[in-house]
Amino acid sequence: MTAAAAAPVAPLPAPPAPLLSVRDLKMTFPGRTAFPGWMAFPGRRARSAAVRAVDGVSFDLAAGETLGLVGESGCGKSTTGRMIVRLLEPTAGSVVYDGRDISRLRQRALKPLRRELQMVFQDPHSSLNPRWTAARIIADPLLVQGGSAAGARRRAAELLELVGLLPQHLDRYPHEFSGGQAQRIGIARALATGPRLIVADEPVSALDVSVQAQIVNLLARLQEELGPAFLFISHDLSVVKRVCDRVAVMYLGRIVETGDKERVYAAPAHPYTRALLSAVPLPDPAAERARERIMLSGTLPSPAAPPPGCTFHPRCPKAREVCRSEVPLLRVATAGEAREVACHFPEPEPSG
């Protein structure tokens, strides 16, 4: 045996740990108490069923990556985002940020991490204090973290220019801005403390189509220049394809498919993903007319009373008996492929 053959092979470097690791995250809202016929039956109360808004969500997000979280309204996307930044307390599960479980941290311990975890909200005007100027809105995170008033104002002016507004806008109030301008202020506020992770909750859904494109391009540019990781929550799959690296599809509180966006969009494995993508309009009129639109039967079940087994089975054209009794686990769809699907009968990979 030669010396070269006997030399030990250097092990491959371990992949970097994810910036964010969410495991089995759950959020259950208690049912409301009602008083039906309280005048006729004093003392009797009725309580509605608890709502399982998020029911065991798990995913990883690398530093500098953008993950799109998509699904119908009411599937638990926004609730997931709010738990990650701790605007909501999870019922169960863990949120590990940069190697530290933050899902049970008290507010005092969480305060320093607020610099690195920020959020952009859906409705720009309702998320901005109408009594504060743009300067105060953007500077407030810096002031909370102990920054000086003069330094915070200078930083606010820099951020306004970064998001495409002018320094003279500093002393205007939210009602003096259009929806797109107000959302730019919300983005500037999120960037004020130099975060490493931004949760963008439907950041363009409340805007006109022309303004949506401007905000999407702005977010893509900021991600490229500043490098924060984004959890991009949306029901618009065309927008998600523009800005995201990977996609996670949610249905009734659970992730049913996740993977690289090119693979998911080209060959969706879950019937629900296929139905969502069939509703995305194509820019080519001829291709739009020729393709088949998948129409789901039934309506979205209530998260207060989800179906047994696979929660999608009442609307799934491929449902069989096992789908009605066994919950499918999120597992690798094809060997060697970084994509997972929660389906007993996933769509096969296209040949060739």
Side-chain angles (χ1 to χ4, degrees):
M1 182 180 295
T2 64
V9 178
L12 294 175
L19 178 65
L20 178 71
S21 183
V22 176
R23 288 294 176 270
D24 201 26
L25 198 63
K26 297 182 180 181
M27 185 69 211
T28 302
F29 293 103
R32 295 181 178 181
T33 301
F35 298 85
W38 64 273
M39 295 182 67
F41 304 98
R44 293 190 59 184
R45 297 185 296 177
R47 191 173 186 87
S48 60
V51 176
R52 286 185 280 177
V54 178
D55 193 16
V57 164
S58 300
F59 62 85
D60 291 334
L61 180 60
E65 183 184 31
T66 301
L67 173 66
L69 191 60
V70 303
E72 292 174 286
S73 297
C75 70
K77 308 184 300 297
S78 296
T79 302
T80 300
R82 288 171 180 266
M83 284 191 288
I84 289 172
V85 297
R86 285 293 305 278
L87 293 181
L88 289 174
E89 300 291 332
T91 303
S94 65
V95 178
V96 177
Y97 170 75
D98 200 17
R100 183 180 183 185
D101 189 348
I102 66 171
S103 56
R104 298 294 181 269
L105 286 183
R106 296 182 179 273
Q107 290 302 319
R108 178 174 295 182
L110 192 62
K111 182 178 177 180
L113 292 175
R114 295 289 188 194
R115 299 182 63 93
E116 302 183 21
L117 299 168
Q118 292 293 325
M119 190 162 186
V120 177
F121 296 92
Q122 177 177 359
D123 187 342
H125 280 111
S126 67
S127 65
L128 304 180
N129 191 326
R131 298 177 182 272
W132 286 2
T133 63
R136 174 67 189 279
I137 290 170
I138 298 171
D140 189 59
L142 296 170
L143 298 175
V144 169
Q145 294 291 337
S148 67
R153 184 176 174 85
R154 286 194 300 270
R155 177 63 173 158
E158 294 171 359
L159 289 167
L160 272 184
E161 291 190 85
L162 182 65
V163 299
L165 296 177
L166 301 174
Q168 51 264 39
H169 291 145
L170 278 173
D171 296 314
R172 295 185 183 179
Y173 289 88
H175 72 272
E176 299 179 81
F177 295 99
S178 67
Q181 290 174 326
Q183 191 62 291
R184 290 172 188 266
I185 294 172
I187 294 171
R189 176 179 59 186
L191 294 171
T193 56
R196 298 178 64 194
L197 171 63
I198 297 176
V199 175
D201 184 14
E202 300 271 13
V204 298
S205 64
L207 307 176
D208 294 337
V209 175
S210 59
V211 181
Q212 286 184 12
Q214 298 173 16
I215 299 299
V216 166
N217 291 334
L218 171 64
L219 291 173
R221 177 173 63 83
L222 292 174
Q223 203 279 338
E224 182 178 352
E225 294 178 0
L226 304 178
F230 276 94
L231 178 63
F232 192 91
I233 299 170
S234 179
H235 64 271
D236 191 331
L237 278 82
S238 58
V239 172
V240 168
K241 187 176 182 180
R242 167 71 177 84
V243 300
C244 296
D245 304 306
R246 290 190 300 120
V247 181
V249 182
M250 280 190 74
Y251 181 81
L252 212 64
R254 298 174 183 170
I255 291 179
V256 297
E257 184 169 0
T258 181
D260 176 78
K261 69 173 181 182
E262 300 297 340
R263 176 64 67 179
V264 171
Y265 277 70
H270 198 282
Y272 178 61
T273 309
R274 291 178 63 85
L276 287 181
L277 289 173
S278 76
V280 178
L282 298 177
D284 183 356
E288 175 69 21
R289 289 192 296 268
R291 73 169 177 167
E292 178 186 2
R293 172 73 187 277
I294 301 175
M295 303 297 293
L296 296 176
S297 60
T299 58
L300 183 69
S302 169
C310 175
T311 54
F312 185 62
H313 84 258
R315 307 173 70 189
C316 181
K318 301 176 63 176
R320 302 181 192 176
E321 188 58 36
V322 66
C323 304
R324 300 176 177 88
S325 57
E326 295 184 18
V327 178
L329 301 178
L330 195 64
R331 59 183 184 271
V332 175
T334 305
E337 183 185 358
R339 180 167 57 154
E340 296 178 315
V341 60
C343 182
H344 294 298
F345 307 100
E347 293 289 334
E349 283 291 303
S351 58

